[in-house]
């Protein structure tokens, strides 16, 4: 894994955005894996700035979101359909017809999950997958004990995740209990992974993911099995890493052409 430690969230967004921008520039009809949550917002803001400046064109890029709540109407501002539209599709100038989000309202959710996997395959796979990390180590909504080989499916949210996400809803009870999420096996099939984390609240999960054993107890540790995963952190999120100085040294000495 490539671990990049930067002074603040804006820098995290800038460096992670450069990884995405490199893919968009090389493959303007490529496929982005999109994440919700506050962590990737700095990436989307930087990419929107570059799109507005005419440096990048997202109009032919495809997008697949990681996850969605089950049973939450898409008109709800916190449904991931609405969040992806508001924070990614519109600001980046993507074509809404090319952006897919898992279907949390399907009558037959297992069939919708299988169709989602098939759509990713039909698009040629995900060129670069953006990821945040939950304080309990989840990626997408793959909660601890998720199979490392899992595919898109329905999951029950942990009380911790519902509590963390309660800030987006009127009351903790209003947070849905279930979700549909790409699996850890789905995520591993993306050609490249970029995980971003900011703040000390994520430090323990980041340390477990990067320096702990590969374990379903920390789903993000599955990144250790991927051949091209980049983890971009601010100082707070990196504060529990034992080998932080080594990561800083490696990044500082990496030539620009090898970075993105
Ligand atoms: C959410 C999302 C994840 C996200 C995580 C962290 O529940 N399903 O994709 O990475 O929680 O969110 P945040 O970035 O807001 O801390």
């Amino acid at each position: 894994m490539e671990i990049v430690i930067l002074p603040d969230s804006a820098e995290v967004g800038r460096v992670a955005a450069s990884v995405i921008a490199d893919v968009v520039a090389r493959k303007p009809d490529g496929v982005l894996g999109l994440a919700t949550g506050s962590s990737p917002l700095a990436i989307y803001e930087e990419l929107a700035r570059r799109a507005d400046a005419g440096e990048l064109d997202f109009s032919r890029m495809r997008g697949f979101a990681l996850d969605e709540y089950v049973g939450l109407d898409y008109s709800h501002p916190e449904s991931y359909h609405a969040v992806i539209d508001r924070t990614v599709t519109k600001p980046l100038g993507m074509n809404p017809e090319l952006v897919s989000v898992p279907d949390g309202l399907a009558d037959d959710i297992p069939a919708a999950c299988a169709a989602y996997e098939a759509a990713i395959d039909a698009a040629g796979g995900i060129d670069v997958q953006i990821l945040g990390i939950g304080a309990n180590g989840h990626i997408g909504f793959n909660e601890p004990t998720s199979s490392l080989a899992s595919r898109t499916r329905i999951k029950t949210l942990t009380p911790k995740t519902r509590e963390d996400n309660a800030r987006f809803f009127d009351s903790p009870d209003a947070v849905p209990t279930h979700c549909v999420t790409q699996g850890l096996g789905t995520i591993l099939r993306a050609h490249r992974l970029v995980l971003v984390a900011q703040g000390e609240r994520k430090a323990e999960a980041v340390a477990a993911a990067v320096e702990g054993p590969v374990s379903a107890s920390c789903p993000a540790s599955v990144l250790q099995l991927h051949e091209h995963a980049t983890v971009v952190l601010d100082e707070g999120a990196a504060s529990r890493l034992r080998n932080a100085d080594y990561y800083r040294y490696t990044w500082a000495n990496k030539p620009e052409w090898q970075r993105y």
Side-chain angles (χ1 to χ4, degrees):
M1 271 187 298
E2 181 178 50
I3 318 297
V4 185
I5 303 172
L6 299 165
D8 54 43
S9 179
E11 271 295 288
V12 168
R14 197 188 61 75
V15 168
S18 294
V19 174
I20 315 302
D22 181 62
V23 172
V24 179
R26 278 188 295 106
K27 200 173 170 192
D29 58 351
V31 185
L32 299 179
L34 305 169
T36 53
S38 43
S39 309
L41 290 178
I43 303 180
Y44 301 137
E45 281 159 19
E46 173 66 14
L47 291 175
R49 193 193 60 72
R50 296 190 198 188
D52 287 346
E55 297 166 22
L56 288 174
D57 177 8
F58 287 88
S59 62
R60 290 162 59 213
M61 292 297 291
R62 275 213 66 130
F64 287 94
L66 280 171
D67 44 15
E68 177 58 286
Y69 293 109
V70 167
L72 190 64
D73 200 86
Y74 301 154
S75 62
H76 191 292
E78 295 306 329
S79 76
Y80 286 173
H81 277 75
V83 171
I84 290 286
D85 190 58
R86 186 169 70 237
T87 62
V88 185
T89 310
K90 286 207 174 92
L92 270 54
M94 294 180 81
N95 177 351
E97 287 179 10
L98 298 180
V99 178
S100 305
V101 179
D103 190 353
L105 298 174
D107 291 334
D108 185 345
I109 287 196
C113 291
Y116 201 70
E117 289 278 331
I120 293 173
D121 285 348
I126 288 170
D127 289 302
V128 57
Q129 175 66 57
I130 299 167
L131 296 164
I133 181 170
N136 65 0
H138 74 221
I139 51 176
F141 268 137
N142 291 282
E143 299 284 33
T145 72
S146 285
S147 156
L148 302 184
S150 49
R151 293 304 182 91
T152 304
R153 70 216 183 286
I154 189 164
K155 285 292 289 179
T156 308
L157 296 174
T158 61
K160 168 74 179 149
T161 297
R162 292 186 69 226
E163 185 187 307
D164 285 350
N165 289 4
R167 67 191 194 277
F168 299 116
F169 292 83
D170 292 339
S171 72
D173 286 345
V175 184
T177 55
H178 291 77
C179 65
V180 172
T181 181
Q182 283 187 33
L184 295 172
T186 318
I187 291 167
L188 281 182
R189 295 182 78 211
H191 303 307
R192 183 156 188 195
L193 305 179
V194 181
L195 183 145
V196 288
Q198 300 97 338
E200 273 180 46
R201 202 173 71 79
K202 301 291 176 70
E204 199 176 320
V206 166
V210 171
E211 294 180 338
V214 175
S215 162
S217 296
C218 177
S221 66
V222 79
L223 264 68
Q224 295 177 39
L225 297 175
H226 196 279
E227 64 181 349
H228 201 174
T230 303
V231 177
V232 190
L233 309 167
D234 71 359
E235 291 288 347
S239 59
R240 302 279 289 268
L241 291 172
R242 288 190 303 273
N243 298 312
D245 286 345
Y246 171 65
Y247 309 137
R248 287 193 189 93
Y249 173 84
T250 308
W251 179 252
N253 289 288
K254 196 169 252 194
E256 182 81 6
W257 63 269
Q258 268 189 352
R259 291 186 168 185
Y260 306 120

